[in-house]
Amino acid sequence: MDILPLLVLFLSWQTKAVRTQMKLTPASLTVVQGHMAKFTCSTSYTHWTAMTWLLGDRPVLTISKQDGVVPSVNPNITAVKCSNSKTDCWEFILRSTERNSQGQVACDLHLIDRRMAELFVQEKGSVRVFGESRLAFKGESVLFQCQAAGWYPEPTLQWQVHDKKVSQDEYNISVKEMENLFTVSSNLSIPAERSSVVDCLVSVSALQAPLKSSISLTVVAEVLEEEDDCTVLVAVSASLAALLLLVLLSLCTVLCYRQREKARSNLGQVIILLANRITAVDMLEKVYCAFGNMRS
């Protein structure tokens, strides 16, 4: 029996088994320049001796199975052993990414296997809305200009008025590229309908939140209308107060009139009573005089 085919088959199976035991994650990573990048390489194959990390075709870090991380001349690159892992696992760390870090990242188990991933490095530039806070009459057209400079790759630019996104059909965008960096400019013209905050938002995919520049728009007519509303409110309040005062005066007049009539009625009764008493006294005097005459 020919043993060579069986040996080749065995070696092929063993190589395939080793390959399935090695893993590099994530397969693709995008970060902003200056931020940290991390990749994890793990294997359950126990007979490896050295793990080498490469950026592009350049070896940048070596890990010995026996001694751990071999000191590197680059302080920006290091590796730590994965915690709570049942396999041989190492985390490769780029403390601060640069544009020249972009490209292929490889984890190589010496004479066993190699896994590759992609690293993309983006640049965050600046964003600015030109001019100062705007003052406009209601219905007047107001122009706003925004510029985002020093971005990579080409960023997305979005206008927002009063916390609502403006349709892309309502503003124009121009793009310039210089030394592999992008500058995006945009003009937005809107009618002054109400006082608002106008935002220019710029972002690339690696940013968790867009970069924003804002400017305020004050509509003059609104201020005048508010003053008119206040004037009307004061006038209405004054009218109501005057009406209420008139009602109170009327009530006081009625009450005073009733009190006066009651006083007059009481005075009349007193006069009648006094008159009755005077008449009675006169009658008694007359009786007394008549009785005195009879005795004499």
Side-chain angles (χ1 to χ4, degrees), residues 4-190:
L4 183 60
L6 292 177
L7 182 60
V8 172
L9 181 62
F10 174 76
L11 291 175
S12 176
W13 175 84
Q14 187 179 27
T15 302
K16 185 177 180 181
V18 171
R19 287 180 179 275
T20 60
Q21 293 171 354
M22 185 178 179
K23 188 176 182 181
L24 176 60
T25 57
S28 177
L29 178 65
T30 302
V31 297
V32 176
Q33 180 175 282
H35 289 197
M36 185 180 294
K38 295 181 179 180
F39 290 88
T40 300
C41 187
S42 62
T43 179
S44 58
Y45 184 69
T46 58
H47 299 295
W48 65 277
T49 56
M51 177 186 291
T52 302
W53 287 90
L54 302 93
L55 290 179
D57 296 327
R58 178 170 54 95
V60 292
L61 187 70
T62 299
I63 302 169
S64 168
K65 180 176 175 61
Q66 183 177 355
D67 301 322
V69 178
V70 177
S72 170
V73 295
N74 189 344
N76 191 46
I77 297 175
T78 188
V80 294
K81 198 165 187 178
C82 303
S83 59
N84 302 323
S85 177
K86 296 180 181 179
T87 61
D88 287 337
C89 175
W90 287 87
E91 186 176 54
F92 174 70
I93 302 172
L94 276 170
R95 291 193 176 97
S96 180
T97 53
E98 301 291 339
R99 283 287 299 279
N100 58 12
S101 305
Q102 179 169 285
Q104 195 175 78
V105 177
C107 175
D108 182 87
L109 289 181
H110 185 56
L111 300 177
I112 298 174
D113 196 9
R114 175 181 290 193
R115 287 287 185 268
M116 288 172 290
E118 290 291 333
L119 173 63
F120 299 96
V121 180
Q122 300 181 343
E123 287 196 44
K124 179 180 70 174
S126 63
V127 57
R128 181 166 67 104
V129 177
F130 293 100
E132 303 294 335
S133 298
R134 306 295 178 80
L135 193 67
F137 291 102
K138 192 168 185 178
E140 182 182 354
S141 182
V142 185
L143 178 65
F144 297 93
Q145 296 176 305
C146 178
Q147 184 182 80
W151 293 77
Y152 178 84
E154 181 184 330
T156 59
L157 186 148
Q158 174 73 57
W159 286 96
Q160 186 172 272
V161 178
H162 205 70
D163 294 330
K164 292 184 178 180
K165 290 184 177 180
V166 179
S167 172
Q168 294 184 0
D169 298 333
E170 298 183 27
Y171 56 88
N172 66 336
I173 289 180
S174 61
V175 181
K176 292 182 179 179
E177 182 181 2
M178 183 177 295
E179 297 180 357
N180 209 21
L181 289 176
F182 291 86
T183 297
V184 180
S185 301
S186 179
N187 295 329
L188 171 69
S189 182
I190 60 172

Side-chain angles (χ1 to χ4, degrees), residues 230-296:
C230 292
T231 303
V232 171
L233 182 60
V234 170
V236 171
S237 300
S239 300
L240 291 175
L243 181 61
L244 180 60
L245 181 61
L246 181 62
V247 171
L248 290 175
L249 288 175
S250 300
L251 289 175
C252 290
T253 302
V254 171
L255 290 175
C256 290
Y257 178 77
R258 289 183 177 180
Q259 290 292 334
R260 184 179 299 174
E261 290 297 321
K262 185 176 180 181
R264 288 179 178 177
S265 176
N266 292 337
L267 180 61
Q269 292 178 1
V270 170
I271 293 173
I272 293 173
L273 180 60
L274 290 175
N276 292 335
R277 287 183 178 181
I278 292 172
T279 302
V281 170
D282 291 342
M283 290 181 65
L284 286 174
E285 288 181 351
K286 290 178 179 181
V287 170
Y288 178 77
C289 292
F291 181 75
N293 294 330
M294 290 177 61
R295 290 182 58 182
S296 58

